Amino acid sequence: MELGWGYHDLQRPNKYTTLSESRDAETEALERLLTLCDQFEIPITFDVVGHLLLSDCSGTHRGKYPTDWFGADPGTDVESDPLFYAPDLIEMIEAAEMDHEICTHTFSHALGEEFTSTQLDSDLKRAQDLHRERFGQPAESIVPPRHQQMDSEILKQNEIRVIRQTIGKMPETKPALLKWYFSRNHPVMEPVRDGGLVTTYTSVTQSMTAPYISHGQGTVHPVLRSIPLRVRKYIHRKYIDDALNRAVTEKKHAHFWTHLHDMANEAQLDIVDQLITVASHWRDNEGLQINRMCDLKTHI
């Protein structure tokens, strides 16, 4: 869960177009997701940018950061700028029947390959301070923004025990990308423990939602729109089924992910509903185990 923080450093016009200005669409999507998880008794991990835990701020923050890193921070409050503050969403997660994990996505969507070690450490310390204040304990898991690499020693110094990373890469040309979208397989593999840090691996693109269907308030390429929506949904259903089948038969892990704002439209919510329904069937009938990231530190 990153909302406006996922785009705040980008130097491009209309960088927030996939988000709803009032954040109503994302709030509704979270409500529906939590209801589904309660209905099918599925706990999940929410990786949250620490700044979203704040109700308000001045727009300046202590610590060492790149120049003008907080230039997009509105320095207001949740009522004025709900894309940069979201304590109400955290309260919704905590109020759910299921015991979901709230892990960290750093305090300010810090980029592991672009921050210095000192800057990254400073940001993680701020994130963990907020976690202790809000939840009584530090976050045990982290999802690095944009899945950039992070110094494992700095993570361990900041009490992180589980990290998510991607495997593979997306093709660079549009024709190759189109072919890849409809022929790829979801990664299914065991997490790896190395020196007190567990790494769980996932797909380079979102998998709880479908990349060939509009994310949030955005649009997809006209070529993708020319393919009937029901066909694109069917393809993603097969993608999900194949991953879950291989996870069970090979006794390995399939780690699904997306952003809250990606699922904030009816078509993508249908995809999420489909995934949770299918996953619960595999759990109840085929022996699939469903874990939060924090569970991996003792299961691996």
Side-chain angles (χ1 to χ4, degrees):
M1 187 188 303
E2 55 189 36
L3 301 175
W5 289 101
Y7 303 92
H8 78 104
D9 61 308
L10 299 180
Q11 303 301 313
R12 68 187 190 201
N14 305 316
K15 59 186 177 182
Y16 302 116
T17 53
T18 60
L19 304 167
S20 65
E21 187 174 351
S22 63
R23 208 239 284 154
D24 288 347
E26 291 79 11
T27 302
E28 180 183 349
L30 178 61
E31 182 177 8
R32 289 178 60 175
L33 174 62
L34 293 171
T35 299
L36 278 169
C37 290
D38 285 347
Q39 179 184 349
F40 291 100
E41 298 183 335
I42 291 182
I44 61 179
T45 293
F46 290 90
D47 55 287
V48 179
V49 168
H51 194 287
L52 294 177
L53 275 64
L54 301 177
S55 298
D56 60 79
C57 76
S58 65
T60 59
H61 301 278
R62 69 176 187 268
K64 297 176 172 60
Y65 287 94
T67 302
D68 200 35
W69 180 248
F70 289 102
D73 188 331
T76 55
D77 53 40
V78 62
E79 289 78 19
S80 304
D81 291 287
L83 293 178
F84 291 87
Y85 311 85
D88 53 313
L89 300 188
I90 305 305
E91 291 170 3
M92 289 171 61
I93 297 169
E94 289 192 294
E97 295 176 16
M98 294 307 300
D99 184 17
H100 300 297
E101 176 188 11
I102 298 176
C103 80
T104 189
H105 200 39
T106 75
F107 172 69
S108 64
H109 207 255
L111 303 175
E113 296 170 21
E114 300 175 33
F115 273 42
T116 67
S117 296
T118 300
Q119 290 168 342
L120 179 61
D121 182 62
S122 178
D123 186 270
L124 287 175
K125 279 183 167 54
R126 177 63 172 134
Q128 292 291 44
D129 284 348
L130 278 175
H131 265 256
R132 290 186 188 91
E133 291 171 15
R134 183 67 179 79
F135 308 113
Q137 60 185 24
E140 296 179 287
S141 312
I142 189 169
V143 174
R146 299 180 194 148
H147 285 116
Q148 291 193 7
Q149 297 294 314
M150 287 187 165
D151 186 323
S152 62
E153 292 305 315
I154 291 176
L155 296 179
K156 287 185 284 186
Q157 289 167 17
N158 284 280
E159 301 181 75
I160 297 296
R161 297 293 175 261
V162 184
I163 183 172
R164 186 181 82 197
Q165 295 287 5
T166 58
I167 190 165
K169 63 178 183 178
M170 296 171 61
E172 296 182 0
T173 67
K174 288 183 179 178
L177 181 61
L178 181 64
K179 180 180 179 181
W180 178 79
Y181 272 154
F182 295 111
S183 62
R184 67 199 173 113
N185 291 316
H186 193 284
V188 173
M189 59 189 300
E190 282 291 272
V192 174
R193 180 184 295 277
D194 183 13
L197 187 67
V198 174
T199 302
T200 175
Y201 295 95
T202 191
S203 54
V204 70
T205 59
Q206 297 92 321
S207 50
M208 279 186 69
T209 50
Y212 24 79
I213 295 173
S214 297
H215 276 137
Q217 313 312 302
T219 59
V220 293
H221 194 279
V223 171
L224 293 173
R225 290 202 302 272
S226 70
I227 302 170
L229 180 60
R230 68 180 184 280
V231 173
R232 286 178 277 157
K233 286 184 175 181
Y234 173 75
I235 290 169
H236 203 71
R237 168 62 186 268
K238 290 192 66 176
Y239 173 76
I240 291 168
D241 274 335
D242 174 72
L244 295 178
N245 178 55
R246 287 186 291 123
V248 170
T249 57
E250 299 175 20
K251 294 182 171 54
K252 295 181 179 178
H253 290 237
H255 186 133
F256 291 88
W257 72 280
T258 193
H259 299 109
L260 175 62
H261 60 271
D262 289 335
M263 68 173 70
N265 65 51
E266 201 61 40
Q268 294 288 12
L269 282 168
D270 284 346
I271 294 284
V272 173
D273 188 330
Q274 183 179 92
L275 170 60
I276 291 176
T277 303
V278 170
S280 70
H281 170 82
W282 277 92
R283 177 198 60 200
D284 297 342
N285 298 282
E286 305 294 342
L288 178 73
Q289 295 184 11
I290 298 175
N291 295 314
R292 304 164 302 172
M293 286 179 63
C294 62
D295 299 323
L296 300 180
K297 70 182 188 296
T298 55
H299 288 192
I300 303 303

